[in-house]
Amino acid sequence: LLYKPVDRVTRSTLVLHDLLKHTPVSHPDHPLLQDALRISQNFLSSINEEITPRRQSMTVKKGEVSLPAS
């Protein structure tokens, strides 16, 4: 359930990307769509940067035993 909100932002980012691709540069919404896409991509990048170190610290290679820290 915790991934649902991030997944929604990911899907919205893809929709914004496609919408921007089909919006003429002369359209008044084009700069706004660019800003919205940039903001959502920055948000996803910051989430990814926070999650990656945690994911790596929790990864256990096959055959290794992970013991809790005392």
Side-chain angles (χ1 to χ4, degrees):
L1 291 175
L2 294 175
Y3 286 106
K4 285 277 190 191
V6 176
D7 185 50
R8 184 170 294 152
V9 174
T10 303
R11 282 186 278 135
S12 297
T13 302
L14 293 172
V15 169
L16 281 170
H17 187 276
D18 287 343
L19 188 57
L20 188 61
K21 190 169 37 173
H22 297 288
T23 302
V25 177
S26 60
H27 194 280
D29 289 340
H30 193 270
L32 297 173
L33 289 170
Q34 285 180 317
D35 288 342
L37 180 61
R38 181 184 45 79
I39 290 168
S40 63
Q41 287 174 333
N42 288 342
F43 173 76
L44 291 173
S45 292
S46 68
I47 294 294
N48 193 33
E49 288 172 6
E50 289 179 21
I51 291 175
T52 300
R54 291 186 204 157
R55 187 176 291 155
Q56 288 174 348
S57 68
M58 295 174 61
T59 303
V60 179
K61 292 181 182 175
K62 187 174 180 178
E64 290 183 0
V65 177
S66 177
L67 300 174
S70 302

